Amino acid sequence: MRRSTLFLCLILFLLGTMAQAKEIVVQSPAKRVEVRICADDQLSWSVSFDHNTVVYPSRLGLLFKDQKPFGKMKVNEVKTSSVDKTWKNPRSKKSTYIDHCTETVIAMEEEKAPSRKLNLIVRAYEDGLAFRYQIPEQEGFKKFVLLEDQTEFGFPADSVCWASDHEKFNTSQERHFLKKDIKEISKDAVVICPLVVESKKFGCAAVSEADLISWAGMQFAAGEKKADDVCNLRLRLTPRRDGNGVVVSSAPVCSPWRVILLGKKPVDLINNSGIILNVSTPSKIADTSWIKPGTSSWDWWSEGNIVINTETFKDRVDLAHKMGWKYTTLDDPWYFNSMFQRKPGLTVDTTKGCGTIDIEEALRYSKEKGIGIFAWLHYKDLIACGREKTFAAYEKWGFAGVKVDFMDSDCQETVDWCLDTVKIAAKHHLMVNFHGMYKPTGLERTWPNQITREGILGNEYNKFSKKITSEHCATLPFTRFLVGPGDFTPGGFLNVQPEKFSTQKKLSVPPCKEMGTRAHALAMCMITDSPILTICDKSDHYKDQPGSSFLKNIPPVWDNTTALAGEISQYYLVQRQSGDLFYAAAITNEDPRDLSLPLTFLKKGTKYKVEIFADTPESAVEATKIALSEKEVSSADVLKIRMERNGGWCAIFRPIP
């Protein structure tokens, strides 16, 4: 009995010691990623990847209005469990996601009064990590105002990064991701997610967030310097419009997940297991059969803000029908007295045509052709007319979805409004494509009718700027597309080299051009991740044009996607699978480039006919020039890829019966 009692006491002592531990270590199942949480005088964290430091010890914490900062914390409980799940996603760049990680919940409490409680939830994956704050139900938090998220990220000071600094809050998040030394990020910066970091010490990391629900979006700026070999970045949340801090909420509540994707080289970030979606709340929609990905034609790229008429609409429907696409997108101005066509004394009405388009005839014609409609709306017009009224009318009409634009903010109020919009749209079986919108945070899993969004420096900028360079295009797969779908609107067929490029006047004349070769334009349709793949140009520009056959029946979603090679802002090579078909595509920046493509992704023992769309030597001058060829291949073959400056390459592999 004495030995049993002593043994029991020892076990209880050890358990108590663990509960009071000052440092908690969370390791991924195979121990590649390790997160250390230190609950000492200052709550802090650090991260290592394959035994190399990614984040040096950095501050954690939250600061609340009318409350003093958290004091010294003690650990009351540590619960560790294994997550090992597989789930299907028919609206993504791959159809199956494996959610395999170690999850640890750390329950903490201030050692001294007022003894506030704070939990930290940490998930460690083999290719990254995620953590979030959880505020348990307790006195003093029945309603609270958050002033600051004090989380910091201490990266190696000799790192380089690709940062999109918007210099202010409340933007459409449409800027370049520019390469710079991480130390160049200023204390006043507003660097949006993702922030991509490359270091000789550990490889590559991309920092973003997930499950952004009724919270403020996060950005980055330089923090206080703490060591010469560490660049300390602080997290910044977008302030509320009413000036009351950054978040108003009540406990119990969780912050969004703070996510870091990890890899040894840039393509590893693209091939990530899907942490942002894995940690996001599963679907709130029981029956998702009506949510159907598809490719869409579009009028605004070629028409600008010219008033759309019934014939213009029918032309886009005919294009979609001919090309095997499911949708057309009806852009501004199509409804009565819209924001950019406002006439004094008239009231906006989102349920009536603008007068030049016969809505009843447009609906009849699109249904006859089997083409669904996405309807553009300015969010202020939607507010004025009411979401319930508008969406009920669109459901009755048979619209497939809406394209809601110009929110241009990720403050808490806007985040809430967007979520409510998605919920009301789901009630009326409408998909949502948000434009003028912040980056994805996994909402497409929670509310899958929010099928795509902008928050990207997209192809529309060719109408009024010279920003959509081949370098920018070669940066996007390693930056913006890491965090979710982006409605980039590729596919312009008036292809020119940069020295021949010019913008439009009044968004309409001359016809909109696209920098880069014809093969580059086709490859961008393959590189863009968007379950609603909006192809930008008009039917006249595709008619009888070499390369247009590549766009017929082009899949917007995939069974599998694998990034094969690439360097950020230089080039990218990707392979995708849709059923029995395989696709591959590559793009380069202003430098001509030669690549090799081993066809090991093809099924062994099966012969394929590959249709190749490639640059020609003439493409370096006359960008519309493209070489089309076919040949028989197998998984044992290797294809040679030649891309001219600002060029591209793509191919379709079809099994031979």
Side-chain angles (χ1 to χ4, degrees):
M1 285 293 292
R2 288 181 180 177
R3 288 182 179 178
S4 298
T5 302
L6 287 171
F7 181 72
L8 178 60
C9 289
L10 178 61
I11 293 297
L12 292 173
F13 173 77
L14 290 173
L15 289 173
T17 302
M18 289 174 62
Q20 294 295 329
K22 293 298 182 183
E23 186 175 69
I24 298 93
V25 179
V26 186
Q27 294 179 320
S28 61
K31 298 180 171 53
R32 290 194 71 194
V33 171
E34 182 177 276
V35 184
R36 290 180 176 268
I37 305 298
C38 182
D40 208 337
D41 291 337
Q42 171 64 57
L43 188 63
S44 66
W45 70 303
S46 62
V47 179
S48 64
F49 178 48
D50 285 342
H51 307 291
N52 298 309
T53 300
V54 178
V55 176
Y56 288 91
S58 301
R59 184 180 187 179
L60 294 173
L62 301 172
L63 182 65
F64 300 94
K65 185 177 181 179
D66 299 326
Q67 295 188 37
K68 64 181 181 179
F70 274 102
K72 190 173 183 180
M73 306 294 287
K74 63 179 180 179
V75 177
N76 288 336
E77 187 176 36
V78 177
K79 291 183 178 180
T80 297
S81 59
S82 178
V83 177
D84 194 357
K85 301 176 182 177
T86 300
W87 58 284
K88 298 291 184 180
N89 187 357
R91 297 167 293 274
S92 185
K93 65 180 184 179
K94 61 180 181 179
S95 60
T96 302
Y97 283 79
I98 298 173
D99 186 2
H100 185 40
C101 67
T102 301
E103 179 180 276
T104 296
V105 181
I106 306 165
M108 298 171 288
E109 182 180 352
E110 287 180 296
E111 289 187 352
K112 298 181 180 179
S115 303
R116 292 169 294 181
K117 297 176 181 179
L118 181 67
N119 298 342
L120 198 66
I121 307 173
V122 183
R123 290 187 180 182
Y125 293 80
E126 304 304 340
D127 55 359
L129 64 118
F131 74 89
R132 75 193 316 178
Y133 298 101
Q134 183 182 58
I135 304 171
E137 187 173 1
Q138 58 190 298
E139 288 298 322
F141 286 92
K142 292 182 179 179
K143 183 176 181 180
F144 65 81
V145 176
L146 180 67
L147 296 179
E148 184 180 343
D149 185 325
Q150 298 175 311
T151 303
E152 296 180 345
F153 299 78
F155 288 108
D158 58 356
S159 301
V160 296
C161 68
W162 282 263
S164 185
D165 186 357
H166 290 243
E167 302 171 336
K168 64 179 182 178
F169 296 105
N170 301 315
T171 72
S172 60
Q173 302 200 355
E174 299 169 6
R175 280 196 177 186
H176 290 119
F177 287 84
L178 300 177
K179 183 179 181 180
K180 60 177 67 178
D181 291 336
I182 197 167
K183 292 182 291 186
E184 293 181 60
I185 296 176
S186 73
K187 62 181 179 63
D188 298 318
V190 184
V191 173
I192 66 166
C193 298
L195 171 67
V196 177
V197 180
E198 191 170 30
S199 169
K200 294 178 180 178
K201 291 183 171 63
F202 64 80
C204 299
V207 191
S208 196
E209 63 180 328
D211 222 25
L212 174 58
I213 305 292
S214 196
W215 210 262
M218 79 177 206
Q219 284 79 209
F220 304 95
E224 294 182 11
K225 184 176 180 180
K226 297 180 180 179
D228 289 339
D229 59 346
V230 178
C231 180
N232 194 43
L233 301 181
R234 62 188 176 95
L235 189 152
R236 302 185 73 183
L237 297 183
T238 301
R240 285 175 57 88
R241 283 198 300 268
D242 63 8
N244 195 18
V246 294
V247 174
V248 175
S249 189
S250 59
V253 69
C254 289
S255 76
W257 293 94
R258 291 17 184 140
V259 177
I260 302 181
L261 312 181
L262 294 168
K264 290 301 181 184
K265 53 187 184 297
V267 291
D268 294 340
L269 300 178
I270 300 171
N271 293 328
N272 182 268
S273 58
I275 296 175
I276 289 176
L277 287 181
N278 280 335
V279 300
S280 295
T281 303
S283 177
K284 297 286 189 179
I285 302 175
D287 177 15
T288 59
S289 60
W290 55 275
I291 304 172
K292 298 178 180 179
T295 303
S296 175
S297 60
W298 185 35
D299 56 55
W300 192 79
W301 164 274
S302 53
E303 307 301 333
N305 283 72
I306 298 174
V307 176
I308 305 302
N309 58 44
T310 308
E311 294 308 310
T312 305
F313 174 81
K314 287 184 176 181
D315 175 75
R316 294 307 185 276
V317 170
D318 288 341
L319 174 62
H321 183 261
K322 178 182 177 181
M323 300 297 278
W325 304 340
K326 286 186 178 179
Y327 303 109
T328 190
T329 298
L330 181 59
D331 219 299
D332 185 54
W334 74 269
Y335 59 84
F336 187 75
N337 209 33
S338 66
M339 177 63 66
F340 298 121
Q341 314 299 323
R342 193 78 87 230
K343 294 180 180 179
L346 298 177
T347 302
V348 60
D349 193 337
T350 55
T351 65
K352 292 182 180 179
C354 64
T356 61
I357 184 168
D358 184 336
I359 291 297
E360 290 186 1
E361 174 60 15
L363 290 167
R364 183 203 66 77
Y365 192 77
S366 63
K367 288 177 182 177
E368 177 185 299
K369 297 290 185 177
I371 302 301
I373 301 172
F374 271 79
W376 180 92
L377 292 158
H378 195 292
Y379 90 102
K380 288 185 178 179
D381 292 342
L382 187 54
I383 290 173
C385 294
R387 289 172 292 189
E388 180 64 39
K389 171 189 172 182
T390 301
F391 293 167
Y394 293 179
E395 181 182 26
K396 184 177 179 180
W397 291 353
F399 279 3
V402 290
K403 177 180 174 181
V404 185
D405 206 346
F406 286 101
M407 290 73 65
D408 294 348
S409 176
D410 60 354
C411 68
Q412 185 185 17
E413 294 102 323
T414 299
V415 169
D416 286 343
W417 186 88
C418 291
L419 179 57
D420 288 343
T421 299
V422 169
K423 290 178 180 179
I424 298 169
K427 174 184 172 183
H428 294 287
H429 293 88
L430 293 170
M431 292 178 280
V432 179
N433 175 2
F434 279 126
H435 272 229
M437 183 64 161
Y438 53 89
K439 83 283 173 185
T441 60
L443 187 63
E444 64 270 25
R445 181 184 184 188
T446 310
W447 290 93
N449 65 312
Q450 192 273 280
I451 196 162
T452 193
R453 65 174 65 187
E454 197 177 31
I456 188 171
L457 183 60
N459 218 23
E460 68 178 14
Y461 273 75
N462 278 312
K463 294 176 73 66
F464 43 81
S465 81
K466 297 181 179 181
K467 294 181 178 181
I468 309 304
T469 63
S470 59
E471 180 180 354
H472 172 63
C473 292
T475 303
L476 288 175
F478 305 96
T479 53
R480 168 59 179 80
F481 281 127
L482 291 177
V483 297
D487 194 19
F488 180 78
T489 65
F493 256 40
L494 297 185
N495 315 109
V496 296
Q497 289 292 356
E499 63 271 16
K500 296 182 180 179
F501 180 80
S502 59
T503 59
Q504 291 186 315
K505 297 179 180 179
K506 297 183 179 180
L507 299 177
S508 56
V509 292
C512 193
K513 302 180 181 69
E514 184 172 320
M515 282 189 279
T517 69
R518 174 69 54 83
H520 183 277
L522 295 178
M524 284 306 297
C525 297
M526 183 62 45
I527 284 162
T528 296
D529 285 317
S530 184
I532 297 298
L533 180 62
T534 307
I535 305 295
C536 64
D537 221 332
K538 65 192 300 184
S539 56
D540 288 351
H541 294 164
Y542 295 127
K543 186 178 181 181
D544 299 327
Q545 283 294 306
S548 61
S549 62
F550 181 81
L551 300 176
K552 288 187 176 181
N553 302 302
I554 185 170
V557 293
W558 305 93
D559 296 323
N560 190 44
T561 296
T562 304
L564 299 174
E567 293 293 337
I568 307 174
S569 78
Q570 297 180 44
Y571 73 98
Y572 180 49
L573 174 61
V574 65
Q575 173 266 315
R576 300 187 189 260
Q577 180 184 359
S578 176
D580 293 333
L581 299 181
F582 291 85
Y583 288 73
I587 56 173
T588 186
N589 58 7
E590 65 274 11
D591 298 324
R593 201 174 303 273
D594 294 293
L595 300 175
S596 293
L597 175 61
L599 303 184
T600 52
F601 54 85
L602 298 176
K603 293 181 181 179
K604 292 182 179 180
T606 301
K607 291 289 186 179
Y608 291 82
K609 183 179 76 171
V610 57
E611 186 178 3
I612 299 172
F613 304 77
D615 291 331
T616 71
E618 293 81 10
S619 303
V621 178
E622 294 296 330
T624 56
K625 298 293 184 181
I626 188 169
L628 311 180
S629 62
E630 293 182 356
K631 62 191 298 186
E632 187 176 300
V633 296
S634 71
S635 61
D637 291 319
V638 177
L639 292 182
K640 298 298 182 181
I641 298 172
R642 170 65 182 180
M643 294 181 286
E644 300 300 329
R645 65 186 181 112
N646 307 301
W649 179 95
C650 45
I652 308 173
F653 301 84
R654 295 182 173 90
I656 299 174

